[in-house]
Amino acid sequence: MTGRFPLMRLALQRRRRMIVALAVGIAVFEALIVVITTTVTPGQIFGAGGRQPPGVFRAFSGSNGDVSIASYPGLLGAGLTHPFWIALQLTAVGSLAAAAVAADVEAGTIELLMVRPVSRARLLAERTAALVLVSLLLNVAATLAVSVGVALAPNLRDAVPQSGVYAAGLLGFGFALCLTGPALAVSAAGRSRARVVGTTIALGAAGFAVNFIAMAWAKAAPLRFISPFHYYTPGDALAYGAVPWGQFAVLVGVGAAGVLLAFGLVARRDLAP
């Protein structure tokens, strides 16, 4: 192991094609959302005849407040909570989190790494850094695509401040970190790549479902606090032009707690396959 951060560089190099594909895919998708938003006025979606979308549709625009999907911030927010956007984020988190520990244990290659002068903490730290960098790259790509689109479209420029675009991007990074922590903890404790990927997908899918149910059914409203989508609200950020720092802190705090748990687990576990 020579050079600085060899494990992080190796993790990125091995998945460079996937990383490039995810970054390009998310940028192109958000650019398409911007194009669609500029060609269809919000009122044409639900507002014909004075109708307004049900309040539960705020879940699809990434809002806990008054931002309707039948608005420019709501339509752009829908692109940042779309299943495709979520799937790309989950792909990055699940793939690199599984490779952090569990994949090497499953393949029996973890012992080859440990015979070199590499501590367990360094192994996990560098691979965690690789995952964080990839999540940052994806959200930067999505944010820049939306930012350029808003800057070039007069109708969007009047309705969505650039500060809101960057606030939504920062929230997206916080959302990725929120999933990263638990995924790494499962990887640090597990012996199967599939279990880590499955857990990551379950967290994303179940989180969205819980938030939707909580917004649709008053009796289930308290459940919204356990969903990351209650705190990841790009529609609100796009509309108001500010980062909801309390919600961002919750997302990052959950991620940090998961990472700390992962370090504790990997320090004590048996790494034999």
Side-chain angles (χ1 to χ4, degrees):
M1 298 285 179
T2 58
R4 299 188 64 182
F5 312 118
L7 295 171
M8 181 185 72
R9 289 189 289 107
L10 183 60
L12 295 173
Q13 182 181 8
R14 284 178 172 176
R15 292 160 186 83
R16 60 188 182 278
R17 291 185 179 87
M18 181 196 76
I19 294 169
V20 171
L22 291 176
V24 172
I26 202 166
V28 171
F29 175 74
E30 293 305 329
L32 288 174
I33 291 294
V34 171
V35 171
I36 292 171
T37 301
T38 58
T39 56
V40 180
T41 62
Q44 289 178 311
I45 300 178
F46 290 103
R51 293 175 301 180
Q52 292 296 320
V56 70
F57 276 83
R58 292 176 300 176
F60 294 104
S61 63
S63 174
N64 289 329
D66 300 325
V67 178
S68 168
I69 195 172
S71 66
Y72 285 126
L75 289 174
L76 293 178
L80 295 171
T81 53
H82 192 279
F84 186 78
W85 183 95
I86 298 171
L88 294 183
Q89 298 284 347
L90 295 180
T91 298
V93 172
S95 176
L96 279 98
V101 179
D104 280 320
V105 174
E106 182 180 33
T109 55
I110 191 72
E111 293 177 326
L112 296 177
L113 287 171
M114 292 296 100
V115 297
R116 294 179 176 273
V118 176
S119 67
R120 298 184 180 202
R122 179 182 174 186
L123 172 73
L124 184 57
E126 291 199 29
R127 289 180 168 178
T128 299
L131 172 49
V132 171
L133 286 175
V134 172
S135 295
L136 179 62
L137 172 64
L138 294 185
N139 284 283
V140 167
T143 301
L144 290 179
V146 176
S147 177
V148 171
V150 169
L152 295 178
N155 52 343
L156 295 183
R157 190 166 59 243
D158 293 338
V160 179
Q162 284 289 345
S163 60
V165 176
Y166 295 115
L170 185 60
L171 275 180
F173 181 54
F175 172 80
L177 293 179
C178 181
L179 296 180
T180 292
L184 285 171
V186 174
S187 182
R191 299 179 179 275
S192 168
R193 185 199 311 260
R195 180 174 297 178
V196 181
V197 175
T199 299
T200 305
I201 294 173
L203 286 173
F208 189 88
V210 167
N211 187 55
F212 182 84
I213 292 170
M215 297 185 74
W217 187 24
K219 292 184 178 180
L223 293 177
R224 68 189 187 278
F225 296 107
I226 66 173
S227 170
F229 289 93
H230 175 68
Y231 307 97
Y232 172 55
T233 54
D236 290 342
L238 287 163
Y240 303 131
V243 179
W245 291 109
Q247 294 168 215
F248 180 73
V250 172
L251 293 171
V252 174
V254 171
V259 171
L260 290 176
L261 177 60
F263 275 94
L265 291 170
V266 81
R268 295 172 176 82
R269 68 163 295 177
D270 179 11
L271 292 176

